[in-house]
Amino acid sequence: MIWYILIVGILLPQSSAHPGFFTSIGQMTDLIHTEKDLVTSLKDYIKAEEDKLEQIKKWAEKLDRLTSTATKDPEGFVGHPVNAFKLMKRLNTEWSELENLVLKDMSDGFISNLTIQRQYFPNDEDQVGAAKALLRLQDTYNLDTDTISKGNLPGVKHKSFLTAEDCFELGKVAYTEADYYHTELWMEQALRQLDEGEVSTIDKVSVLDYLSYAVYQQGDLDKALLLTKKLLELDPEHQRANGNLKYFEYIMAKEKDVNKSASDDQSDQKTTPRKKGVAVDYLPERQKYEMLCRGEGIKMTPRRQKKLFCRYHDGNRNPKFILAPAKQEDEWDKPRIIRFHDIISDAEIEIVKDLAKPRLSRATVHDPETGKLTTAQYRVSKSAWLSGYENPVVSRINMRIQDLTGLDVSTAEELQVANYGVGGQYEPHFDFARKDEPDAFKELGTGNRIATWLFYMSDVSAGGATVFPEVGASVWPKKGTAVFWYNLFASGEGDYSTRHAACPVLVGNKWVSNKWLHERGQEFRRLPFLSCCCTLMCLIHTFPSLNFQEFTID
């Protein structure tokens, strides 16, 4: 018991917890411009200080020459009436002016600008959230700490490195979350960079302090003891390490005694090693989800692939698409996922983004218990809602969705625009309400979400796929395209194979917008997508001499 009190009293390095974080590249770019303005202001301040020092330097050089001459023959020097007058003038007036110059604060402009801009700065929550995003990417994409630290990520344009201090901070963030697995990984990376001779503001003692405790928490007592001894070699007076050393030795001695006296119960009496890794995950399909995000999903058999086609789609003979039909591509068969190519222009995308940017806020989800919108840790993005009446482009996009799907958009939700920054994600979820959520969309009065339309408004350098863990499908972002699927069967029952997720963005910026279409108004509208394909095939067989343009997807 004495040793237990000792460990409670001094073992844990002190830290504090921080709340969660969300990010948006669209808004983070504003911070880049803010920082650029501050750098300009800082350079102006430096220039003002340099000008001030230059004046002081010239004054000092002038007086140095003068006093050097005067001190050689002081009486003769002040015997000259002009010199006497100027000496009185300098000491009475000019030195006071120099004093005022030295005391003049040239930083007023810079400090004022900094104070104004600081209100837009990220806070502790943002910094911690960015760190958690890195840890999330590390796990999802199987990245080792050295790869991340050296910035060797796919698709990067601006390579950046993590210092030992950066690695130490990442380890501390993991530590505050009791995530000792990542604490160990990042503290080891920090230690490795320090051992390689990197000059840093942190020291090995601090790193070893966290590292030894993280290793102990994972059940590796031998390694924890070794690291503690290494720490004490650097700082023999370290109070916590000395206490931990005694505690570790006591535990190891106790285990040896137990092993000798009860060899039959050896495995039971030993301290049970903790499994390395993060805490027990609430997400049952985590492994499958992350594999799909890495492009390691289930490969469709050749027989199933032969049933996937590219086609021109005229929206069931819609006048808008008869002469210029939309390009369709089958992404998956069950559930049927259709991609529309070149379905939204770059100009339309920019207008939608410009409308959304000022309104971007934490993305929400439906709470199954209350039926109301709320934030959730498994959805890390920012979103905004756009109504058709506020801009003709939004109205035109809504009608395009109606024309191509045959579904009534008047009962649909507003167009939701989302921006996922680095590490931004939306873990596996259903778009439709399940039977145990009868009140999910009660306030809307339009029934369940029958279908989902998703625009991709940007290319993503790495990561950011939309994946369907139940069936193994991965749909990758491609600017100007959209994907569509039904969430409900024709019977109105939910299609559980449509459970999907937005993978974390590894490198780049992901903009999407989606339209959730509801049941009301669709009673006589749900039409098969193969109608135009069948029409086209009939034309080919009926008029074999006609030269139909072949449509292929790169």
Side-chain angles (χ1 to χ4, degrees), residues 295-312:
E296 302 170 2
I298 300 170
K299 304 301 179 184
M300 190 178 286
T301 62
R303 184 174 182 178
R304 288 176 64 187
Q305 285 180 338
K306 288 180 181 179
K307 297 180 181 179
L308 303 182
F309 295 95
C310 298
R311 67 186 69 81
Y312 287 111

Side-chain angles (χ1 to χ4, degrees), residues 224 245 345 530:
L245 179 65
S345 69
L530 288 176

Side-chain angles (χ1 to χ4, degrees), residues 30-47:
D30 294 337
L31 295 178
I32 296 294
H33 297 298
T34 297
E35 191 169 41
K36 176 62 177 176
D37 290 341
L38 285 175
V39 169
T40 301
S41 180
L42 179 61
K43 290 171 72 175
D44 290 341
Y45 162 64
I46 292 172
K47 179 67 167 56

Side-chain angles (χ1 to χ4, degrees), residues 310-381:
C310 298
R311 67 186 69 81
Y312 287 111
H313 177 60
D314 63 7
N316 196 34
R317 304 295 292 170
N318 187 294
K320 298 176 184 176
F321 295 100
I322 290 178
L323 295 180
K327 300 172 184 177
Q328 267 190 9
E329 177 187 9
D330 292 332
E331 285 281 353
W332 205 259
D333 54 354
K334 294 180 181 179
R336 187 148 186 242
I337 306 170
I338 305 291
R339 187 192 292 266
F340 290 84
H341 289 264
D342 302 323
I343 204 63
I344 184 170
S345 69
D346 288 351
E348 290 173 324
I349 287 173
E350 290 307 311
I351 290 173
V352 170
K353 286 166 61 175
D354 288 342
L355 289 171
K357 282 179 182 178
R359 311 184 201 175
L360 287 175
S361 60
R362 176 71 182 268
T364 57
V365 297
H366 271 280
D367 188 323
E369 295 182 2
T370 65
K372 297 181 179 180
L373 293 174
T374 183
T375 59
Q377 291 298 322
Y378 57 82
R379 188 176 190 185
V380 185
S381 65

